[in-house]
Amino acid sequence: RMAVGCLLELAFKVAAGDIKNGFAVIRPPGHHAEESTAMGFCFFNSVAISAKLLQQKLSVGRIL
């Protein structure tokens, strides 16, 4: 949960223009987790959660 929270904070600050860019060094990265299934050491898909919340809360259309 802390990894997801750290990535969310970074993503929202970049999207809001508070900072120019950032790099999240977090564990677990979430690349093994599926939309509704934890896999390996990845309980949450941090990137997917961040992208979805940016779309919902800030109406961000494109996410790299």
Side-chain angles (χ1 to χ4, degrees):
R1 290 184 303 192
M2 187 178 295
V4 175
C6 290
L7 183 57
L8 287 174
E9 184 172 349
L10 174 63
F12 274 84
K13 285 186 178 193
V14 171
D18 295 339
I19 57 176
K20 184 177 178 181
N21 57 40
F23 186 84
V25 181
I26 55 175
R27 178 102 178 120
H31 63 280
H32 290 121
E34 298 292 330
E35 182 178 321
S36 60
T37 306
M39 295 177 71
F41 293 108
C42 303
F43 296 101
F44 303 104
N45 188 329
S46 308
V47 174
I49 292 169
S50 299
K52 190 68 167 182
L53 284 174
L54 285 170
Q55 290 173 334
Q56 290 175 345
K57 305 279 185 189
L58 298 180
S59 300
V60 173
R62 296 177 60 175
I63 299 172
L64 173 64

